Amino acid sequence: MSDPVFTAWARLLRAQTHLLGAVERELKQAGLPPLGWYDVLLELSRPGCDGLRPVELEKLLLLAQYNLSRLLDRLEKAGLIERRAVAGDGRGQCVVITAAGRELRERMWPAYRDAVRRHFAARLSDREIEMLAQMLGKITA
């Protein structure tokens, strides 16, 4: 028996897996780091962002804390972010993007953008993309 709710659910999950895999492959082929790096660097480079606490990044990125900690370690080792102490909070730290991190994010954007266009936008009409954005907006609201 086919249940439209679970058919749609399964297709949504498969689409996400398929699209993320395609984008990741293209980034790798272009000699760029994984998409997770771009996502962190993007959040840290938004206008008015003077840094974020790891817990704030965790909420924005939907990553498990232990995954985010390892990712931040790699980004810091690569010189793309810095961790700074938060004034008045002995244990708190803030993550800040570096100039190298901004440059990498800017270099990654064209490959990311083009992969999304090829694997997502090229398969749907403008109207379908608009409708999908509205439908997904209802789910995430």
Side-chain angles (χ1 to χ4, degrees):
M1 175 167 66
S2 177
D3 182 336
V5 170
F6 286 97
T7 298
W9 172 253
R11 287 182 180 173
L12 177 65
L13 296 178
R14 282 189 195 109
Q16 177 195 19
T17 300
H18 172 78
L19 291 170
L20 287 175
V23 170
E24 289 282 5
R25 280 189 299 280
E26 290 210 17
L27 290 173
K28 187 175 185 175
Q29 288 170 353
L32 296 167
L35 187 56
W37 288 40
Y38 180 87
D39 289 343
V40 169
L41 297 174
L42 175 65
E43 293 302 333
L44 293 173
S45 65
R46 293 197 185 278
C49 179
D50 296 325
L52 295 168
R53 290 176 181 249
V55 69
E56 294 169 316
L57 269 173
E58 185 180 336
K59 289 176 186 173
L60 292 169
L61 302 172
L62 303 175
L63 289 172
Q65 190 276 330
Y66 65 91
N67 287 336
L68 180 60
S69 292
R70 288 190 299 216
L71 177 55
L72 293 178
D73 288 344
R74 288 190 293 271
L75 291 169
E76 185 175 35
K77 185 176 181 181
L80 304 172
I81 64 164
E82 294 176 356
R83 297 183 208 206
R84 298 182 181 160
V86 175
D89 184 350
R91 296 183 337 171
Q93 62 178 233
C94 186
V95 180
V96 179
I97 191 169
T98 65
R102 288 184 192 284
E103 188 273 329
L104 176 62
R105 188 196 58 78
E106 289 172 13
R107 273 194 306 118
M108 290 180 76
W109 171 242
Y112 181 25
R113 177 198 59 218
D114 293 349
V116 169
R117 286 182 178 158
R118 259 189 303 284
H119 298 284
F120 175 71
R123 297 174 185 219
L124 301 170
S125 70
D126 290 345
R127 179 69 186 129
E128 288 170 325
I129 291 171
E130 217 174 274
M131 289 171 33
L132 182 58
Q134 289 174 358
M135 288 186 286
L136 293 173
K138 287 181 180 181
I139 294 169
T140 58

